[in-house]
Amino acid sequence: MREPGRTKLPQFLESTDPGFEAQFQALLTMKREDSPDVDAVVAQIIADVRARGDAAVIELTQRFDRLALTPQSLAFTPEEIAAHCAAAPSEERAALDLAAERIRAYHARQMPQDADWVDESGARLGWRWTPVEAAGLYVPGGLASYPSSVLMNAIPAQVAGVDRLAICVPTPDGVVNPLVIYAAHLAGVSEIYRIGGAQAIAALAYGTQTIAPVDKITGPGNAFVAAAKRRVFGKVGIDMIAGPSEILVIADGGGDPDWVAIDLLSQAEHDESAQSILITDDAGFGQRVAEAVERRLETLERREIAGASWRDFGAVITVRDLDEAADLSNRIAPEHLELCIAQPREFAAKIRHAGAIFLGSWTPEAIGDYVGGPNHVLPTARSARFSSGLSVMDFIKRTTLAEMTPAALRAIGPAAETLARSESLEAHGLSVTARLERLNDGDL
Amino acid sequence: MREPGRTKLPQFLESTDPGFEAQFQALLTMKREDSPDVDAVVAQIIADVRARGDAAVIELTQRFDRLALTPQSLAFTPEEIAAHCAAAPSEERAALDLAAERIRAYHARQMPQDADWVDESGARLGWRWTPVEAAGLYVPGGLASYPSSVLMNAIPAQVAGVDRLAICVPTPDGVVNPLVIYAAHLAGVSEIYRIGGAQAIAALAYGTQTIAPVDKITGPGNAFVAAAKRRVFGKVGIDMIAGPSEILVIADGGGDPDWVAIDLLSQAEHDESAQSILITDDAGFGQRVAEAVERRLETLERREIAGASWRDFGAVITVRDLDEAADLSNRIAPEHLELCIAQPREFAAKIRHAGAIFLGSWTPEAIGDYVGGPNHVLPTARSARFSSGLSVMDFIKRTTLAEMTPAALRAIGPAAETLARSESLEAHGLSVTARLERLNDGDL
């Protein structure tokens, strides 16, 4: 059961209104998504795949996707991949080529440096980054089967140096999106399974007779996929559990109300639970944007979805000035923040919590969804307060390094002995003491 | 009920043995820890703290810690903190000072750089790192109340620039470890609550009348704390859920068997579920280490714990050569890897999965627990395959930046329009189209 927030909250808010703080709090804590409790079903599916492997995956795919598979047809063959790639329209292929190139260039800059130094005690310290060996990428089937998401998940893994990338994408009734296959191919992925749901996550995490297990699983999915990812977390790494999409546009009165209206709708059209908010210091501009939204909603293909999202969760907030807009933005910690203002760069310096910032009126958020370069997998539901979008960092990990010399151990070892004693960890202390005794014996 | 692995597995393994692969697999997948199912109790505690705030926290502290608190005495006062700091013995204080200084110097090097560049399309791209605003650190009470863990959790947060740090440490029957308070003070933390368990995690995540909520929670704890952290994940960020400690020592025949024995025992003494493994290319050396372990176990203070861990989960593996040792080590992906061999630096280059590496015989793992500089909060249970130890990165997050010019939008916008159309996201495409039309109208 969906509980529209609009029953409690007006669409237009003004920060000078005495009731504003309460309204803004309601906006912040508004429950936009139902989480159907699928955990028991998912636990059973995972147990079944662990116990019976391929046979369980095949049965569940028959049941949920109405598709008859064998262990041999779980994966696309190289010939099938080539045929789907050839079937992808050339204009879309060229667009994906450009997107892949730009995403790769952006993420290549994210690779962090190793470090190695000798400190004043003589201790050699540092760290080293190494890639995850195998990653699994989940791609939803049906309407939300986005080739752009394949690029956004697979390219950071590829740039990180992951050896093996496996994709799971369900193909209900056998329907394949050739652009998804082409995007996988572009990102160097040749291991693609036509399975989905919790059974696909279980197969990636625990392996089957046909599918080798991976170390990390990323990618969006429905409630079953999300619950399965939560359950296998620990056995493998996972990325975030993404909620419905959000955009916050901050605009002064100088822009085009219609541009802002479409930008708000470009999130609203994703999902009835999506949220689009405008903050402006010009009440008249806010009014014109709202009118433009209604006009655009008359003809938009996904007007039912976008309209429901805007009615239930959309808001136009008028503030005294842009400083107040920055404060409210930091409290919202939006997934996407668009700055349609005269001096966006100066203003951006005031923003502390946001997944991605789009600066200036020439930067619609949709550019970031496809070809900008930065990742479009971003923290939702205010989690930009403590987390980041997907990046190369999700596919590498750090090993710290320490190497003592006898002199270094003599310098810092006694403090370790003292602390080990105070924590009642005798062997910890003895491991230092035995070595220091050797030094004091004059062997070295 | 504990299920000792030793019933199935010998303590001495040889890689040349035909049964070795099966034995090694058993060692890898050995269940060492019971996870008591406390989830229902924890869910209730969290709901209670959310509903009743301070009153619930105070009641639960009375019940579990036999300690009567009021909202006013939930936190240590500045005077109490000063008194506990003064009560800490001076030798321990000096040791913590040295540890804090070295941990701070190491972690200061971890701060990543912001980035900002203009690409060939004219698009300005980049990212910016910002600190989490408020972090909560959990410190267990009783025996496992380690001041060193306070430093390892609080200093990275402090280095990251976190504005507010709150510590929760239970004080059962009112017993306070003054070194924990001193360590908090050293790390700049003055907000310390004498509460623990799931109720402390709930208070940090959701806030009470007295305790402001935080954005990120880190620190070790018992099954209740771990279950509570899993439950509040999403509302706040959490660090890893740590399992029992582990060490893998790789040794050639050239070292001192007694040193290696103590190093193995320094993990074993943590916990009956800890695991200590030696891999050596010298069977005789392995035998001598095992004998030294038995000798040390005769007198070790925590011999019951360490002995149980060694008997149930310890192992000595003889391999053909050190290359084979590196392969096995990468399959184990140990939390701690100690290299007691002649050329540790060259060998370390072959290691892909390990939380921390200690190079050479002069670097006992215990140095890393206290004063080495690297963090001692490290991935356990083979999760070094996909995750890293605690660092400054856990307390900062990345905001990506993109700023188009009209020329950049003209160059890359059409590809975004194409991809939006192919994903049936019309408003995404229109947000680009509306701007490109303006450009084509010749307004600019």
Side-chain angles (χ1 to χ4, degrees):
Chain A
M1 290 289 292
R2 200 139 157 282
E3 211 187 302
R6 188 58 59 219
T7 55
K8 286 182 230 133
L9 204 64
Q11 182 134 38
F12 290 87
L13 282 71
E14 298 192 19
S15 70
T16 51
D17 188 315
F20 175 73
E21 179 56 32
Q23 290 174 342
F24 186 72
Q25 275 292 347
L27 191 70
L28 277 185
T29 53
M30 203 178 234
K31 188 167 158 49
R32 282 151 51 207
E33 208 187 13
D34 296 317
S35 317
D37 193 2
V38 299
D39 206 44
V41 180
V42 164
Q44 211 171 351
I45 290 175
I46 294 174
D48 193 20
V49 172
R50 287 185 71 174
R52 299 195 298 131
D54 285 345
V57 170
I58 288 169
E59 271 180 41
L60 291 160
T61 304
Q62 175 71 59
R63 190 189 319 162
F64 294 124
D65 298 339
R66 301 159 303 279
L67 185 67
L69 295 175
T70 64
Q72 289 69 41
S73 63
L74 277 176
F76 287 84
T77 64
E79 294 71 28
E80 288 168 332
I81 292 175
H84 285 298
C85 288
S90 65
E91 188 187 350
E92 276 81 351
R93 271 166 38 187
L96 284 172
D97 290 348
L98 177 71
E101 183 192 319
R102 293 186 58 84
I103 296 165
R104 190 172 285 120
Y106 183 92
H107 287 79
R109 292 183 181 245
Q110 291 180 328
M111 278 299 285
Q113 296 294 306
D114 294 346
D116 179 15
W117 68 92
V118 176
D119 75 13
E120 61 293 343
S121 77
R124 183 166 180 153
L125 301 173
W127 62 77
R128 221 179 48 206
W129 293 96
T130 48
V132 165
E133 268 182 38
L137 312 181
Y138 188 83
V139 181
L143 254 189
S145 181
Y146 297 143
S148 59
S149 288
V150 175
L151 298 183
M152 292 292 180
N153 280 275
I155 290 177
Q158 192 190 27
V159 168
V162 170
D163 304 88
R164 177 180 155 241
L165 276 171
I167 286 182
C168 287
V169 55
T171 59
D173 301 307
V175 177
V176 177
N177 179 347
L179 286 174
V180 162
I181 308 298
Y182 183 71
H185 165 73
L186 264 186
V189 184
S190 56
E191 188 179 335
I192 311 174
Y193 300 99
R194 38 189 133 223
I195 60 175
Q199 60 274 21
I201 301 298
L204 288 172
Y206 290 98
T208 70
Q209 297 85 342
T210 302
I211 303 173
V214 302
D215 303 303
K216 174 107 186 187
I217 299 176
T218 70
N222 62 17
F224 292 85
V225 170
K229 281 168 68 180
R230 269 189 194 273
R231 283 210 159 249
V232 301
F233 172 53
K235 164 72 176 149
V236 299
I238 62 168
D239 62 343
M240 67 202 80
I241 307 282
S245 197
E246 313 147 9
I247 190 169
L248 170 60
V249 180
I250 297 179
D252 54 27
D256 183 328
D258 184 54
W259 292 8
V260 172
I262 312 175
D263 297 352
L264 293 169
L265 289 172
S266 75
Q267 292 309 300
E269 75 174 345
H270 268 297
D271 190 337
E272 294 191 356
S273 306
Q275 184 167 48
S276 305
I277 300 176
L278 168 66
I279 300 184
T280 179
D281 58 355
D282 180 334
F285 183 81
Q287 193 58 53
R288 289 193 293 282
V289 169
E291 288 160 13
V293 165
E294 296 305 334
R295 254 194 324 273
R296 286 282 184 179
L297 274 175
E298 288 168 18
T299 57
L300 199 67
E301 283 166 19
R302 296 169 73 111
R303 57 185 168 272
E304 296 212 0
I305 294 171
S309 157
W310 178 246
R311 269 193 319 277
D312 291 345
F313 305 118
V316 176
I317 305 176
T318 304
V319 290
R320 295 175 186 84
D321 53 37
L322 290 180
D323 277 344
E324 197 174 12
D327 291 343
L328 295 181
S329 177
N330 282 329
R331 289 175 67 190
I332 294 173
E335 181 189 13
H336 304 103
L337 173 60
E338 209 180 276
L339 302 179
C340 297
I341 55 178
Q343 304 292 336
R345 222 174 283 165
E346 289 70 5
F347 183 86
K350 298 178 190 161
I351 298 302
R352 177 145 170 191
H353 308 303
I357 305 181
F358 303 88
L359 293 94
S361 290
W362 294 103
T363 319
E365 184 279 329
I367 280 292
D369 283 333
Y370 296 117
V371 293
N375 210 288
H376 79 195
V377 182
L378 293 165
T380 57
R382 308 188 60 224
S383 62
R385 292 174 297 125
F386 54 80
S387 63
S388 311
L390 199 71
S391 78
V392 164
M393 308 297 287
D394 289 283
F395 298 98
I396 59 177
K397 63 264 170 3
R398 186 193 329 93
T399 299
T400 62
L401 304 169
E403 180 176 1
M404 299 294 127
T405 59
L409 194 67
R410 193 179 267 140
I412 68 174
E417 290 177 288
T418 299
L419 292 174
R421 207 161 40 235
S422 81
E423 295 185 354
S424 302
L425 293 172
E426 187 195 15
H428 282 63
L430 287 175
S431 73
V432 176
T433 309
R435 287 164 168 94
L436 292 182
E437 278 171 355
R438 177 79 52 86
L439 287 179
N440 295 336
D441 287 351
D443 282 20
L444 271 146
Chain B
M1 292 289 292
R2 200 140 157 282
E3 211 187 300
R6 188 57 61 219
T7 54
K8 288 182 230 134
L9 204 66
Q11 182 133 39
F12 291 87
L13 282 71
E14 298 192 19
S15 71
T16 50
D17 188 314
F20 175 73
E21 180 55 33
Q23 290 173 340
F24 186 72
Q25 274 291 348
L27 191 71
L28 277 185
T29 53
M30 204 179 232
K31 189 168 158 48
R32 282 151 51 205
E33 208 186 13
D34 297 317
S35 316
D37 192 2
V38 299
D39 206 44
V41 179
V42 164
Q44 211 171 354
I45 291 175
I46 294 174
D48 193 21
V49 172
R50 287 185 71 174
R52 299 195 300 128
D54 285 346
V57 170
I58 288 170
E59 271 180 41
L60 291 160
T61 304
Q62 175 71 58
R63 191 189 317 163
F64 294 124
D65 297 340
R66 300 159 303 280
L67 186 67
L69 294 176
T70 64
Q72 290 68 42
S73 64
L74 277 175
F76 287 84
T77 64
E79 295 72 29
E80 288 168 334
I81 291 175
H84 285 299
C85 286
S90 65
E91 188 187 349
E92 276 82 351
R93 271 165 37 185
L96 284 173
D97 290 348
L98 177 70
E101 183 192 319
R102 293 187 57 86
I103 296 164
R104 190 171 285 120
Y106 183 91
H107 287 78
R109 292 182 182 247
Q110 291 180 329
M111 278 301 285
Q113 296 294 304
D114 294 346
D116 179 14
W117 68 94
V118 176
D119 74 13
E120 60 293 343
S121 78
R124 183 166 179 152
L125 301 172
W127 62 77
R128 223 179 49 207
W129 293 96
T130 47
V132 164
E133 267 183 39
L137 313 181
Y138 189 84
V139 181
L143 254 188
S145 181
Y146 297 142
S148 58
S149 289
V150 175
L151 298 183
M152 293 292 181
N153 280 275
I155 290 177
Q158 193 190 25
V159 168
V162 171
D163 304 88
R164 176 180 156 240
L165 278 171
I167 287 182
C168 285
V169 55
T171 58
D173 301 306
V175 177
V176 176
N177 179 348
L179 287 173
V180 162
I181 308 298
Y182 183 72
H185 165 72
L186 264 186
V189 184
S190 56
E191 187 180 336
I192 311 173
Y193 300 100
R194 38 189 134 222
I195 60 174
Q199 58 273 22
I201 301 299
L204 288 171
Y206 291 98
T208 69
Q209 297 86 342
T210 303
I211 304 173
V214 302
D215 304 302
K216 174 106 186 189
I217 300 176
T218 69
N222 63 18
F224 291 86
V225 170
K229 280 169 68 181
R230 268 188 195 274
R231 283 208 158 249
V232 302
F233 172 54
K235 164 72 177 148
V236 299
I238 62 167
D239 62 342
M240 68 202 81
I241 307 281
S245 196
E246 314 147 8
I247 190 169
L248 169 61
V249 180
I250 297 179
D252 55 26
D256 184 327
D258 184 55
W259 292 8
V260 172
I262 312 174
D263 297 351
L264 293 169
L265 289 172
S266 75
Q267 291 309 300
E269 74 175 346
H270 268 297
D271 189 336
E272 294 191 357
S273 305
Q275 184 167 49
S276 305
I277 299 177
L278 168 65
I279 300 184
T280 179
D281 59 354
D282 180 333
F285 183 81
Q287 192 57 54
R288 289 193 292 282
V289 169
E291 288 160 12
V293 165
E294 297 303 334
R295 253 193 325 274
R296 286 283 183 178
L297 274 174
E298 288 167 17
T299 57
L300 199 66
E301 282 164 19
R302 298 169 72 111
R303 58 184 167 272
E304 294 211 2
I305 293 170
S309 158
W310 177 247
R311 268 194 319 277
D312 290 345
F313 304 117
V316 176
I317 304 176
T318 305
V319 290
R320 294 175 187 84
D321 54 38
L322 290 180
D323 278 344
E324 197 174 15
D327 291 343
L328 295 181
S329 176
N330 282 329
R331 290 176 65 189
I332 294 172
E335 181 189 13
H336 303 103
L337 173 61
E338 211 180 275
L339 303 180
C340 297
I341 55 178
Q343 304 292 336
R345 221 174 284 165
E346 289 72 4
F347 184 85
K350 297 178 191 163
I351 298 302
R352 177 146 171 192
H353 308 303
I357 306 181
F358 304 87
L359 293 93
S361 291
W362 293 101
T363 318
E365 184 280 329
I367 281 291
D369 284 333
Y370 297 116
V371 293
N375 211 287
H376 79 196
V377 181
L378 292 166
T380 57
R382 308 190 58 224
S383 62
R385 290 173 297 125
F386 54 81
S387 63
S388 310
L390 200 71
S391 78
V392 164
M393 308 297 286
D394 289 284
F395 298 98
I396 59 178
K397 64 265 172 0
R398 185 192 331 92
T399 299
T400 62
L401 305 168
E403 181 176 1
M404 299 294 127
T405 58
L409 195 65
R410 193 179 268 140
I412 69 174
E417 290 176 288
T418 299
L419 292 174
R421 209 163 36 237
S422 82
E423 295 185 355
S424 302
L425 293 172
E426 187 195 14
H428 283 64
L430 287 176
S431 73
V432 176
T433 308
R435 288 164 167 95
L436 291 182
E437 278 170 356
R438 176 78 53 87
L439 287 178
N440 294 336
D441 288 350
D443 283 20
L444 273 146

